[in-house]
Amino acid sequence: MKILIVGSGGREHALVWKISQSKRVSKIFAAPGNPGMTQLAELVDIKPTSIIELADFAQQEKIDLTVVGPEQPLALGIVDEFNNRNLKIFGPTQKAAMIETSKSFAKEFMRKNNIPTPAFKVFSSPSEALDHFSEAQFPLVVKADGLAAGKGVYICKKKEDAAAAVNDIMLEGKYGKSGERIVVEEFLSGQEMTFMAVCDGKRVFPLATSMDYKKALEGDKGPNTGGMGAISPAPQISRDLFDQIMKTIIQPTVAGLKFENKEFKGLLYAGLMITRDGPQVLEFNARFGDPETQVVLMRLKSDLVDILDGAADENLFDVAADWEENVAGCVVLATKGYPQKVVTGHRIQGLERAKSLGVEVFHAGTAQDAEGLATSGGRVLNVCAVAPTLKDAMAKIYDGISFITFEDMVFRRDIGWSRK
Ligand code: AMP
Ligand code: GLY
């Protein structure tokens, strides 16, 4: 089979790495990919948002399966375009991706289907939102309705914070059209968990659980990021909790979307808060998490192509997964300033020595030129390992990191820590 991966981050490098282990695969392309992939895949210079060009490429190269990493192409309808041309693709249609691209849609959908989620109200008028804050209970959470690259979520301790969030999102238009509406929801405390499942429109194939570390700084301080690290399994998971998540969240979501003619084919990502009253959904994504995918795939023993191809063919019947009992960890090496402005172009050194310790290093924001490898983004590298215990996995990762250098390198030293 010939496979095309769309995207260029650590998540996509991990997908390429895992897919390259499949006996069914003869060739992998990545658009646009990154320098870490070059031994496993041929890089194609097409942006993930250029969906017509991607479909033209898949047609010319007779690609057997395309796998989409990031959310923007899904929001733009890449799957609809491929479906129209009879090209096989793993991902949801534009309509089904609304579970991620519109938080107000997702919240109303959950209310209708009795899927546990914090109580909420949707506002499209700033003054109505401000009126609501005079009588609301604090803390509460204000969220931009549309895609905001992991930003656009404000935890507000008091009325003034909420008013400032409305100002940013609706009046100043910091997130453009994504901020035309907001969701205001109840604040929940508990421990977060990521639950990802491959879906074929009807059936669900749960992946191993994971947890990511969203805050930029140690001790879960500082601004939210795309994720500074991850571990798998999630520390608080038990058989009962797994079954409860499948029964009260994942299965009703897939069934409810099908009922609304939005059959979900692709990766359903539930960002959960495990509260004293059980699991509740903070957000859905319509794609693989980054960096959760890195740790989950490190533990997958089965052929990922069987799973993704089975879902794309609406045939998840025959697929079974086999997982390492081991624990996986991932630490993101970022550039100082992330998730805000960063300076790029710094030389990266020490990767080979790190890898000789047995860690996997997935590339995210890297660029290659005649002189070698340099930084090209906020999240630069993902250092990952599996070991019998979390402590061993993290020790191996931090040993590996000690060999890697680039100017402005920052990372959290407390990945693996949890409040369990
Ligand atoms: P989201 O993009 O909606 O998952 O929000 C990003 C992060 O904000 C989550 O991972 C949580 O850490 C936090 N968050 C979002 N919604 C809530 C909530 N209702 N209660 C507490 N924390 C929240
Ligand atoms: N790590 C969170 C996400 O992929 O959205």
Side-chain angles (χ1 to χ4, degrees):
M1 284 175 80
K2 284 166 124 182
I3 313 266
L4 169 65
I5 309 286
V6 178
S8 64
R11 163 185 54 203
E12 288 78 13
H13 187 180
L15 284 164
V16 165
W17 170 81
K18 190 70 209 169
I19 285 172
S20 73
Q21 294 167 12
S22 170
K23 289 197 181 67
R24 296 172 63 186
V25 172
S26 53
K27 172 105 194 172
I28 306 175
F29 294 95
N34 71 42
M37 304 173 182
T38 48
Q39 284 181 356
L40 305 173
E42 183 176 328
L43 306 192
V44 185
D45 189 18
I46 307 178
K47 283 198 302 237
T49 47
S50 302
I51 59 181
I52 302 292
E53 273 182 75
L54 288 168
D56 289 344
F57 176 81
Q59 224 156 11
Q60 279 154 21
E61 285 293 333
K62 300 196 168 49
I63 298 292
D64 297 293
L65 177 67
T66 298
V67 180
V68 186
E71 60 274 24
Q72 293 86 357
L74 299 171
L76 290 170
I78 188 171
V79 173
D80 308 75
E81 179 65 28
F82 274 56
N83 285 347
N84 287 340
R85 300 195 198 189
N86 265 324
L87 295 165
K88 208 196 294 186
I89 186 161
F90 177 81
T93 58
Q94 193 174 39
K95 255 188 351 191
M98 276 176 75
I99 198 82
E100 170 167 7
T101 58
S102 168
K103 288 197 191 278
S104 57
F105 166 78
K107 293 294 285 189
E108 270 148 20
F109 170 84
M110 286 188 268
R111 176 144 68 194
K112 238 182 332 193
N113 288 280
N114 285 320
I115 293 161
T117 190
F120 72 99
K121 278 190 156 55
V122 178
F123 295 96
S124 42
S125 139
S127 62
E128 282 174 27
L130 295 176
D131 283 349
H132 170 71
F133 298 146
S134 331
E135 58 203 43
Q137 287 221 350
F138 284 83
L140 54 70
V141 187
V142 177
K143 300 181 177 183
D145 182 50
L147 294 180
K151 296 160 195 154
V153 173
Y154 295 73
I155 313 273
C156 306
K157 293 210 174 79
K158 48 188 196 310
K159 213 165 94 178
E160 291 71 27
D161 302 340
V166 167
N167 190 58
D168 263 19
I169 302 172
M170 300 183 99
L171 300 172
E172 286 198 0
K174 226 171 154 176
Y175 311 100
K177 279 179 93 60
S178 289
E180 282 176 356
R181 252 181 308 192
I182 56 169
V183 170
V184 176
E185 71 178 24
E186 175 199 358
F187 174 85
L188 295 183
S189 35
Q191 177 109 15
E192 287 184 60
M193 184 199 286
T194 297
F195 197 100
M196 297 194 281
V198 172
C199 307
D200 72 356
K202 289 197 235 28
R203 281 167 295 264
V204 175
F205 182 89
L207 300 182
T209 58
S210 55
M211 171 180 150
D212 80 333
Y213 293 76
K214 287 210 171 65
K215 301 281 186 196
L217 306 176
E218 281 158 26
D220 287 339
K221 304 245 164 36
N224 261 330
T225 70
M228 294 298 289
I231 55 174
S232 175
Q236 66 274 52
I237 196 68
S238 63
R239 189 72 240 174
D240 281 352
L241 181 57
F242 190 96
D243 292 344
Q244 194 183 2
I245 293 168
M246 282 295 282
K247 206 162 136 223
T248 64
I249 295 169
I250 305 296
Q251 278 157 350
T253 300
V254 174
L257 286 170
K258 181 169 182 326
F259 183 76
E260 291 192 10
N261 249 328
K262 297 186 176 74
E263 277 87 357
F264 194 94
K265 257 206 243 178
L267 194 289
L268 181 67
Y269 169 121
L272 306 175
M273 186 71 90
I274 311 303
T275 71
R276 270 184 299 181
D277 306 323
Q280 301 219 25
V281 179
L282 297 184
E283 67 164 343
F284 280 120
N285 292 324
R287 49 157 179 92
F288 284 100
D290 186 351
E292 292 97 320
T293 299
Q294 289 82 315
V295 282
V296 167
L297 293 186
M298 295 237 5
R299 295 183 55 225
L300 180 65
K301 289 203 271 186
S302 327
D303 187 336
L304 180 62
V305 175
D306 285 345
I307 303 170
L308 304 182
D309 196 46
D313 280 341
E314 298 181 23
N315 183 14
L316 272 176
F317 281 123
D318 302 331
V319 179
D322 205 3
W323 298 96
E324 293 273 5
E325 285 300 325
N326 284 352
V327 178
C330 168
V331 174
V332 173
L333 304 184
T335 309
K336 191 177 77 190
Y338 174 74
Q340 281 102 25
K341 254 191 137 62
V342 298
V343 177
T344 60
H346 299 309
R347 288 282 151 226
I348 301 171
Q349 247 125 24
L351 291 195
E352 291 315 316
R353 279 189 76 189
K355 282 193 243 173
S356 70
L357 296 186
V359 297
E360 273 313 321
V361 181
F362 296 121
H363 290 221
T366 69
Q368 179 85 39
D369 61 23
E371 283 161 53
L373 204 59
T375 64
S376 71
R379 291 195 286 182
V380 178
L381 295 165
N382 307 152
V383 184
C384 306
V386 282
T389 67
L390 183 59
K391 206 166 147 236
D392 293 344
M394 298 320 303
K396 202 162 155 186
I397 291 169
Y398 286 113
D399 279 351
I401 290 174
S402 68
F403 291 114
I404 303 176
T405 56
F406 58 83
E407 204 180 317
D408 285 351
M409 178 169 109
V410 291
F411 61 94
R412 279 181 60 166
R413 286 163 208 273
D414 64 347
I415 304 302
W417 170 86
S418 92
R419 259 177 290 146
K420 186 189 169 186

